[in-house]
Amino acid sequence: MKILLLDKNHPLITEQLSAKGFLFEEDFTSAYEDVLKKIGHYDGIIIRSRIPIDQNFLEHAKNLKFIARVGAGMENIDVEFAKKSGIQLISSPEGNRDSVAEHVLGMLLILMHRLFISSQEVKNGIWKREENRGDEILGKTVGLIGYGNMGKAVAKRFSGFGCKVIFHDILPDIGDEFATQVSLDTLKKEADILSIHLPITKETHYIIDEKFIAEMAKDFYFINTARGKNVKTNDLVKALKSGKVKGAALDVLEFEKASFENLDTENDDLQFLLQSEKVIVTPHIAGWTVQSKQKLAQVIVDKILAQFSGH
């Protein structure tokens, strides 16, 4: 099978698959139109986010048997058309779930205990104790929306903090020893901390908006390591200003480019997030560790071999 690599990934992908007889071509720079001209020659592609795999792309990919995304989200792919075309879709959310879970806890602890703020103050000769009094996770209720690979890994990490963990998911009966499944109304009533772990779909686009925030019974901390467009930023900013959202830890932003490599806009809402002491922002790196780079690649290799090793 001939495979086209459209993004740089861990070298174990080519090393292990080449050893099993797969053939590779790397193209990390060609634009969309140039890739179209040759995509018909390949049986598989391995991607991250650089090239959109839309219907037009797939119509040119006459021999394509699989698309492997090194990561979790598939929003860069026309999934429905790919399935209709008989193309196997492979992703690797198992590979970076532990990285995401640690990032959630890290951002939340920094936010609630004012670690970054107080450290910067001390480094600048400012010694404030009462103003930097922290807030504990112990005794709080953590609400997760989405209980797939990421949500489950996050719940497991929270289990040692003496808090109650609840979640809402569209799939029924998937609770475990780390979290209890509840209705969305119950989650909104009980949660002190809200963390979302959702793909971006028509149903989840702007799921966190003014109405949702208003329906939360308590003032709450908010964490987003999923997708920026799950959240209507302007409504989040209003809630931060009013105090309804006590603090926000954001690894993803509504204003990211489709490739997640940079921001594509500047506006007052973004500037507020970047300047507010109530907000922590990181550059879409929750799933981005030394270990996850290798694990993401290994999951992809294992899944390709499981399905196509005899071809």
Side-chain angles (χ1 to χ4, degrees):
M1 294 184 76
K2 292 180 65 177
I3 300 176
L4 179 62
L5 299 176
L6 288 172
D7 295 278
K8 291 182 180 180
N9 285 295
H10 198 285
L12 73 78
I13 291 178
T14 53
E15 291 168 3
Q16 293 185 20
L17 290 179
S18 294
K20 296 292 186 179
F22 290 80
L23 303 175
F24 284 93
E25 180 181 328
E26 297 178 349
D27 187 345
F28 305 144
T29 58
S30 290
Y32 175 90
E33 292 296 335
D34 293 323
V35 176
L36 279 190
K37 295 173 185 176
K38 61 181 181 180
I39 192 58
H41 301 297
Y42 298 94
D43 301 293
I45 55 174
I46 299 177
I47 63 168
R48 286 209 314 260
S49 305
R50 187 174 69 86
I51 297 286
I53 312 301
D54 56 16
Q55 181 173 335
N56 181 48
F57 184 101
L58 294 170
E59 287 172 345
H60 283 75
K62 300 297 185 183
N63 294 308
L64 205 62
K65 297 175 179 65
F66 73 84
I67 302 166
R69 168 137 202 295
V70 183
M74 305 291 275
E75 68 270 17
N76 208 39
I77 302 167
D78 188 331
V79 171
E80 186 175 335
F81 190 80
K83 289 180 177 178
K84 285 181 181 177
S85 304
I87 299 169
Q88 291 284 330
L89 299 176
I90 299 169
S91 63
S92 53
E94 306 94 331
N96 63 355
R97 59 189 173 192
D98 297 314
S99 174
V100 169
E102 290 190 11
H103 198 91
V104 167
L105 263 295
M107 286 201 298
L108 186 63
L109 289 168
I110 288 168
L111 187 68
M112 293 177 67
H113 288 267
R114 298 178 60 86
L115 300 180
F116 180 76
I117 295 168
S118 58
S119 176
Q120 289 299 106
E121 288 176 350
V122 173
K123 288 180 178 181
N124 286 288
I126 302 168
W127 190 270
K128 294 181 178 179
R129 298 186 67 227
E130 184 57 38
E131 294 88 342
N132 285 309
R133 190 180 289 275
D135 193 6
E136 297 178 10
I137 297 173
L138 178 69
K140 289 185 171 57
T141 296
V142 178
L144 309 176
I145 301 183
Y147 206 62
N149 280 282
M150 308 305 172
K152 290 176 181 177
V154 170
K156 185 175 181 180
R157 297 317 188 281
F158 272 114
S159 65
F161 280 80
C163 57
K164 178 182 178 182
V165 183
I166 58 176
F167 73 90
H168 175 72
D169 195 282
I170 58 174
L171 297 176
D173 304 319
I174 56 173
D176 55 28
E177 69 267 36
F178 301 116
T180 302
Q181 188 162 9
V182 298
S183 69
L184 190 56
D185 286 341
T186 297
L187 185 143
K188 290 176 180 177
K189 180 180 178 182
E190 296 185 6
D192 302 287
I193 297 165
L194 175 66
S195 184
I196 61 172
H197 303 279
L198 298 167
I200 191 73
T201 66
K202 290 179 181 178
E203 292 75 27
T204 65
H205 187 266
Y206 286 163
I207 188 173
I208 306 301
D209 60 6
E210 186 173 28
K211 180 176 182 292
F212 188 105
I213 293 168
E215 290 170 350
M216 293 288 286
K218 304 176 185 178
D219 296 346
F220 65 99
Y221 294 96
F222 176 66
I223 311 157
N224 187 10
T225 53
R227 288 293 184 258
K229 288 182 171 59
N230 291 139
V231 180
K232 194 167 186 179
T233 308
N234 184 254
D235 292 349
L236 175 62
V237 167
K238 290 176 185 174
L240 284 160
K241 289 178 177 178
S242 73
K244 179 67 177 182
V245 173
K246 299 164 75 172
L250 309 173
D251 181 57
V252 290
L253 294 167
E254 180 184 351
F255 314 110
E256 288 178 77
K257 291 183 178 180
S259 64
F260 308 132
E261 293 299 322
N262 213 326
L263 299 177
D264 65 1
T265 187
E266 286 198 20
N267 58 44
D268 290 343
D269 292 329
L270 177 59
Q271 288 307 307
F272 175 85
L273 296 177
L274 298 180
Q275 294 170 14
S276 174
E277 287 192 346
K278 298 169 74 173
V279 180
I280 292 173
V281 183
T282 52
H284 204 129
I285 57 168
W288 209 250
T289 60
V290 173
Q291 292 80 9
S292 72
K293 183 176 182 180
Q294 180 169 344
K295 286 190 282 187
L296 285 165
Q298 190 63 62
V299 169
I300 288 294
V301 168
D302 293 344
K303 289 184 177 181
I304 290 173
L305 290 177
Q307 294 189 48
F308 299 101
S309 59
H311 290 255

